[in-house]
Amino acid sequence: MKKICSAVLICMMVSQVGAQQGVYEMDRSARQSVSLNSSGSTGKNDSWSMKRYSEAGAGEQVSSVRYQTHGWMPAIVPGTVLNSLVHNKVYPEPYFGDNNRRSRGLIPDLHDAGAGFYHYWFRKTFKVPATLNGKKLWLKFHGINYRAGVWLNGKKLGTMAGMFQPASFDVTYIVNRKGENVVAVEVAPVDIPGSVFRDGKKRTGAVGENNNGGDGEIGKNITMLMSVGWDFSVPDGTRDRNTGIWRDVELYSTGEVVLAHPFVQTYLPLPDTSVAMETVSVEVSNTTQQKQSGKLTGVITGTNIRFQTSLVLQPGETRQVVFRPADYPQLKIKNPKLWWPINKGGQHLYELTLQFEKDKIISHQLTTRFGIRQVQTDRLTPDQSRRFIVNGHPVFIRGTNWVPEAMLRGSVDRTRTELRYTRQGGFNLIRLWAGGIAESDEFYRACDELGLLVWNEFWITGDTRFPADTALYFQNLEATVKRIRSHPSVAYYVAANESKEIAGTRARIFALDSTIGYQEQSECCGVHDGSPYKYENPMQYFENTASPRGSRVDGFNPEYGTPCLPLLESLKEMMPAKDLWPINDSVWNYLDGNGFHNVNTKYRQAVNEFGPSRSIEEYAKKAQLVGALNYRAIAEVWNYNKFGWGDRFASGFLFWYNNSPLPQTASRMYDWYLRPTAALYYSQNGLAPLHPQFDYLKNTVSVYNDYRKAFPGHTIEARIYDMNSNLVHTSSRKISIPADGTVKDALQLSFSDSLTQVHFIKLLLKSPAGKEVAEAFYWRSKDAYKGAWTMTGPAVSGFADINRLPQAQLNGTVKKRLQGGKVFLEMQVKNVSAKIAFFTQVRLTDQANAVVPAVFYSDNFFSLLPGETRTITLEVNENAWRHVNGLSVVAFNTSELKLKW
């Protein structure tokens, strides 16, 4: 029981499971607005409560201020029915151990219990703040799953359907501006929940792996398809299929003319980027039954660009107003500051404010950010694979797949943290996989700022059936495209994952946004099918045999990945101690999507190649070595083959997948608790924009460049050290690194028979002046590689001697500084011994000596040569800093060094 409480505490700290903030920013812009979330500040006793629909009254009664709420329980908004039931201790924490396993019967499943079981009323009392003094008052729900009836003060406002469209209700003449108000929302689950398990009948889509998508029936809804169960998520499904008010609720005021859906489109006369033509559009609505006239004005902040037009709107009229550069020459921007993805340039963002003014009074004002950029794709490649081009420059895609938090326990902080880690890992594109959700505004804003391109898919998968209500599907799709299309990060639209589009999808999207590319499904049109997904011998990455489907490191691969075990602290949070050690295969496999990713088979075998472990502490430490090597190896093989610089032609890959939707033993660059694993830092090293890299199969050293400029006159140097830290070989070569290219096989290394079984390689890239500009450190064994589908070779087997490394010694200093409400720790760590300090971890810990989640380390799990110093910066937000109690650094072969600031 103590462990369950601990897990929930961590969850609340890093995920805001109590809905202290939503994943969706309020649609405030410059208008007056207040949140009606669980943490809203609209008066006393304003919390949401909930009760099963069949046990409460009708909407007229439930939404009355006189209604008595005896027997109602506190509710989480934004959130789901099941999250609230767990919060109220009706059911145990699904994320702890195998509590969610269907055979245990601890939490009823929607398919078995019936639609009424998770059909609930949500109710909230509120007062209208005096600040909302506009003529019109609106109540907006940003997202409800799946069908809802909305009531206010005894009157029905309307209905909602589908997971991905908002609704605003005019409550001007219903709301009580002086006293108490009650909003009541009847939320019903998806129409067709589907079974977690297949029924043996033929389905319309492709056959998925590992019984993904259950019986496929959930696809008939427009919802989060993975909630029925997938091998990378909850294998038995989320019990309520995430029924609830899952996005923010707000109350806002405007004048009588309202603006919506601003859109800024860029055209660059490529290859010329010295001028940009901007087209601005916005929907203008007259919400009254009288004619309205006034001025619509646009201003781009920080420039002298201003444009306006006079409008006369008929009663109830909605009109799209378009400002074109042909009519407004000021929208031809000279020498614009362009928006680029990471490593290609800066991420400049402009701000546009639009307002409608009547009689010198602003009726409504919207502010939106946009970037000046042009994203294109083509297939002008040797193998006709898809290629992305930004501002006229081909961009090698080193991307990743994004899946949402399984029970929608998200927050603004969590979204920002995950995207920061993704950017740190070196990725430049995120694919929003179709079985997930339409992501939040905060997600896109962060991608804009971080230089991450976004590939958007729309809720159809080959593992599930097609939506039954095509009209509802298009309503959700159109609402989503209108919401996201001005973000410069939005780079590509894809209708489905491994399936077909619904007829008419292309035309619908292009009518709303024709500025970027589109394809009907994820595996067509120059993008081949994916794999591998599981742990495999990294030697097979280099050999290109890691998938039985054939060559995978070529063309454009949308799904290619491997797991990494979480840190020890997270393993302890996710399961009972009795299942932790000795390893309980049943529980560990359940937390690996029913064993899908080979965590208890091949991954364990690779960990044991570093010698048998005597405790979970030792096993978890060695497991980080396995994840680190594999993540970097994948990155480096793709680097090598970029645009044909290596042995094959590759235009891009998308790692499968980078974020953990729930606590799992098959974790990724960071785990669900937001503790980074070693995989993050080795991905960061492998995907560094300027990177020397070692090929375990060919024993060669190459140099990769992701920048748009060349680096002439550099030197690549390789040093080989034995187990005793003796330098046994060094070689170097002067090279010129081409812009956005690779120097293939710059050095050929040889390894003497007299070399120790385990040895180390240090690569250094130096500038013409001899300054180090990039480095990489590798461990290697003398084991021979015996071919595909064996667990042999210098990258995976024969590492037991690592336990006999001579002891090294570390020293360090720390300085603390405050900046922008955050704490920064500047560390200098030095190896003061004559031995290599191997796999050195910096640990910021709490009072239980557990690693604090959601901390940004500039580097970690690094190795230091004798006398070498490394500077590490830690960034900690206020929420995480409250839990900090200590700082230490420890290598594989040193004692722990505690440091003070």
Side-chain angles (χ1 to χ4, degrees), residues 565 603 606-614 616-627 800 802-803 839 892:
L565 198 74
Y603 196 101
V607 176
N608 290 338
E609 287 294 332
F610 288 87
S613 299
R614 292 161 293 182
I616 188 60
E617 288 78 10
E618 183 180 358
Y619 184 86
K621 179 173 69 172
K622 291 175 177 177
Q624 293 303 305
L625 290 160
V626 174
I802 208 83
N803 298 287
F839 213 61
F892 202 89

Side-chain angles (χ1 to χ4, degrees), residues 83-235:
N83 273 320
S84 293
L85 293 173
V86 171
H87 176 73
N88 288 289
K89 303 188 185 309
V90 176
Y91 298 116
E93 171 55 52
Y95 285 176
F96 188 68
D98 62 350
N99 281 351
N100 197 68
R101 194 191 294 268
R102 194 166 185 245
S103 60
R104 293 191 66 186
L106 299 179
I107 306 171
D109 188 78
L110 177 60
H111 178 270
D112 305 324
F117 193 83
Y118 289 110
H119 187 178
Y120 271 76
W121 277 109
F122 288 80
R123 186 181 189 275
K124 180 183 176 73
T125 301
F126 67 93
K127 291 183 177 181
V128 179
T131 54
L132 299 186
N133 53 18
K135 291 185 177 181
K136 307 284 288 187
L137 269 177
W138 304 85
L139 180 62
K140 182 170 185 177
F141 292 85
H142 287 268
I144 293 179
N145 190 34
Y146 180 69
R147 293 190 182 272
V150 182
W151 296 75
L152 179 67
N153 296 342
K155 297 188 180 298
K156 189 171 186 178
L157 303 180
T159 61
M160 296 178 66
M163 191 174 183
F164 307 117
Q165 63 174 334
S168 290
F169 300 99
D170 185 345
V171 298
T172 305
Y173 301 107
I174 302 174
V175 77
N176 182 346
R177 289 184 182 254
K178 302 288 187 182
E180 296 284 333
N181 295 273
V182 174
V183 57
V185 187
E186 170 206 343
V187 182
V190 290
D191 298 338
I192 306 166
S195 173
V196 170
F197 301 112
R198 294 181 184 169
D199 58 9
K201 296 178 182 178
K202 184 178 180 181
R203 294 184 290 157
T204 56
V207 176
E209 295 182 89
N210 214 35
N211 291 323
N212 288 334
D215 62 4
E217 291 292 302
I218 196 169
K220 293 180 178 179
N221 312 280
I222 299 90
T223 191
M224 179 179 170
L225 305 180
M226 62 182 268
S227 65
V228 78
W230 233 271
D231 54 40
F232 58 80
S233 183
V234 186

Side-chain angles (χ1 to χ4, degrees), residues 8 79 90 148 277 723:
V8 173
V90 176
M277 272 71 83
M723 273 278 290

Side-chain angles (χ1 to χ4, degrees), residues 411-655:
S411 70
V412 169
D413 286 346
R414 184 179 185 89
T415 297
R416 282 270 171 180
T417 300
E418 291 198 58
L419 289 173
R420 281 277 305 274
Y421 286 148
T422 303
R423 167 64 179 85
Q424 183 176 356
F427 297 100
N428 61 12
L429 181 146
I430 294 177
R431 173 194 175 200
L432 297 181
W433 175 72
I437 62 174
E439 269 296 344
S440 67
D441 291 342
E442 184 61 33
F443 173 91
Y444 287 97
R445 272 192 298 273
C447 288
D448 292 344
E449 295 167 10
L450 295 170
L452 295 169
L453 300 167
V454 183
W455 158 323
N456 302 267
E457 290 180 15
F458 297 105
W459 329 302
I460 294 175
T461 75
D463 298 277
T464 56
R465 300 186 187 277
F466 268 34
D469 188 338
T470 301
L472 182 60
Y473 172 80
F474 281 130
Q475 290 169 17
N476 280 252
L477 182 146
E478 290 177 3
T480 300
V481 173
K482 284 183 176 182
R483 179 171 61 84
I484 69 176
R485 60 190 177 180
S486 274
H487 289 278
S489 57
V490 174
Y492 208 47
Y493 296 125
V494 179
N497 168 65
E498 302 171 15
S499 187
K500 294 287 185 180
E501 66 180 1
I502 293 178
T505 301
R506 178 189 294 267
R508 296 274 187 144
I509 290 177
F510 276 10
L512 300 170
D513 182 9
S514 59
T515 64
I516 60 174
Y518 167 89
Q519 67 186 50
E520 73 165 353
Q521 62 133 316
S522 59
E523 295 181 353
C524 76
C525 317
V527 180
H528 62 68
D529 59 333
S531 73
Y533 302 96
K534 313 175 181 186
Y535 176 86
E536 301 294 358
N537 185 339
M539 297 300 297
Q540 294 185 244
Y541 304 148
F542 298 96
E543 191 180 48
N544 204 22
T545 61
S547 170
R549 298 182 186 179
S551 178
R552 301 288 89 187
V553 185
D554 63 356
F556 199 116
N557 189 325
E559 299 172 356
Y560 192 114
T562 190
C564 180
L565 198 74
L567 298 188
L568 172 66
E569 291 86 348
S570 296
L571 288 169
K572 288 181 175 180
E573 294 291 342
M574 74 174 65
M575 70 181 80
K578 66 181 178 60
D579 298 326
L580 202 59
W581 194 264
I583 290 173
N584 182 334
D585 280 351
S586 176
V587 173
W588 280 56
N589 275 331
Y590 183 78
L591 296 173
D592 177 25
N594 287 329
F596 178 75
H597 299 96
N598 291 336
V599 167
N600 279 10
T601 53
K602 289 185 178 181
Y603 196 101
R604 181 185 297 172
Q605 186 177 342
V607 176
N608 290 338
E609 287 294 332
F610 288 87
S613 299
R614 292 161 293 182
S615 65
I616 188 60
E617 288 78 10
E618 183 180 358
Y619 184 86
K621 179 173 69 172
K622 291 175 177 177
Q624 293 303 305
L625 290 160
V626 174
L629 194 150
N630 277 53
Y631 269 67
R632 184 168 61 182
I634 288 175
E636 291 176 339
V637 172
W638 283 95
N639 286 347
Y640 182 82
N641 292 288
K642 168 184 179 175
F643 290 150
W645 289 94
D647 297 335
R648 294 178 298 281
F649 184 92
S651 59
F653 79 103
L654 305 179
F655 194 90

Side-chain angles (χ1 to χ4, degrees), residues 7 82 203 232 235 255 313 318 360 463 524 593 614 758 833 865:
L82 183 55
R203 294 184 290 157
F232 58 80
L313 298 170
T318 293
K360 297 185 179 180
D463 298 277
C524 76
R614 292 161 293 182
V758 178
S833 71
L865 298 174

